Amino acid sequence: MTSLFEPLAPRPLAEALRPERIEDVIGQKHLLAPDRPIGRMVASGRLSSMIFWGPPGTGKTTLARILAASSGMAFEQISAVMSGLPELKKVLARAQANRQQGQSRGMVLFVDEIHRWNRAQQDALLPYVEDGSVVLIGATTENPSFELNRALASRAQVMVLERLDTHDLSVLLERAQAHLGRVLPLDAQARTELLNMADGDGRYLLVMV
């Protein structure tokens, strides 16, 4: 048993540095700029269902949280690996009840690794997406055209997230150093190798710091 007097485990660096505003998100300007798809949604305050397709560490979870907060919506996150149909039905029932009672502006349901769900699990989402009980944001590293059933895919816009480039990763590294309050002991070559090892994955970069 953990003692009450033991210090709490520090937050992972990736969590500590997770942006809370769209302006602070690193990369994905092709989606987030004011005249681009997600930028326009944020400006209007109205979200539609989306599938975030992209490599790990490109900000899928972060974007989902920010979009929910910026729209004044409740946020629920479930993992398609860990959660089955019973858990999904509980979340959907809660979303529908809150909507009917006027208790919220709606719910963003973020489903991580949505491609892992079978057809029955995906089909269970359809009526709730259609009636507006939830705004679905699914995250996947796999091509949605092959991994999602056609009915669900037709009700969501696919947003392709790109790997972070060297400039993006450099900005993230600077934020990490500022948060840690120290400069990493890296010469120019070591810094370049560190950024190359991250291979566009911001979370992996922070793990290596």
Side-chain angles (χ1 to χ4, degrees):
M1 175 181 287
T2 302
S3 168
L4 293 176
F5 299 98
E6 292 180 10
L8 295 175
R11 296 170 68 196
L13 191 55
E15 186 63 31
L17 293 179
R18 189 186 296 276
E20 297 182 353
R21 304 184 309 157
I22 201 78
E23 298 88 348
D24 297 329
V25 173
I26 296 173
Q28 315 309 332
K29 299 306 180 187
H30 65 293
L31 298 175
L32 305 182
D35 61 340
R36 306 307 293 170
I38 294 178
R40 290 195 295 267
M41 286 189 197
V42 171
S44 69
R46 299 180 63 183
L47 301 183
S48 59
S49 292
M50 292 171 273
I51 302 297
F52 290 162
W53 173 26
T58 51
K60 295 185 286 292
T61 303
T62 295
L63 278 177
R65 291 184 179 183
I66 291 174
L67 290 174
S70 66
S71 302
M73 303 177 74
F75 180 78
E76 288 271 358
Q77 176 176 346
I78 56 179
S79 167
V81 175
M82 304 297 294
S83 301
L85 194 54
E87 292 85 356
L88 173 62
K89 287 183 175 179
K90 289 179 183 178
V91 173
L92 294 173
R94 187 161 63 249
Q96 191 170 52
N98 289 344
R99 183 170 181 267
Q100 291 172 346
Q101 297 168 14
Q103 294 181 356
S104 72
R105 294 188 59 189
M107 174 188 289
V108 169
L109 174 60
F110 178 67
V111 183
D112 197 16
E113 299 194 75
I114 193 171
H115 61 277
R116 297 292 190 94
W117 270 350
N118 60 35
R119 185 181 182 87
Q121 291 166 311
Q122 293 183 30
D123 283 347
L125 285 167
L126 289 175
Y128 299 88
V129 172
E130 289 178 337
D131 73 7
S133 295
V134 298
V135 170
L136 170 67
I137 300 182
T140 179
T141 56
E142 306 295 329
N143 190 330
S145 299
F146 301 115
E147 302 297 334
L148 298 186
N149 70 52
R150 187 171 300 176
L152 184 60
S154 69
R155 290 163 174 79
Q157 300 181 57
V158 175
M159 304 290 182
V160 181
L161 277 70
E162 300 174 347
R163 293 183 183 276
L164 303 185
D165 62 24
T166 301
H167 171 74
D168 296 331
L169 292 172
S170 295
V171 172
L172 184 57
L173 187 58
E174 292 298 327
R175 290 185 185 179
Q177 292 180 136
H179 177 79
L180 295 170
R182 58 183 174 84
V183 177
L184 299 176
L186 300 173
D187 60 22
Q189 181 178 351
R191 180 187 175 98
T192 298
E193 290 179 357
L194 179 66
L195 298 180
N196 289 338
M197 287 175 62
D199 192 26
D201 184 332
R203 183 169 56 246
Y204 184 53
L205 173 67
L206 295 178
V207 168
M208 293 190 292
V209 170

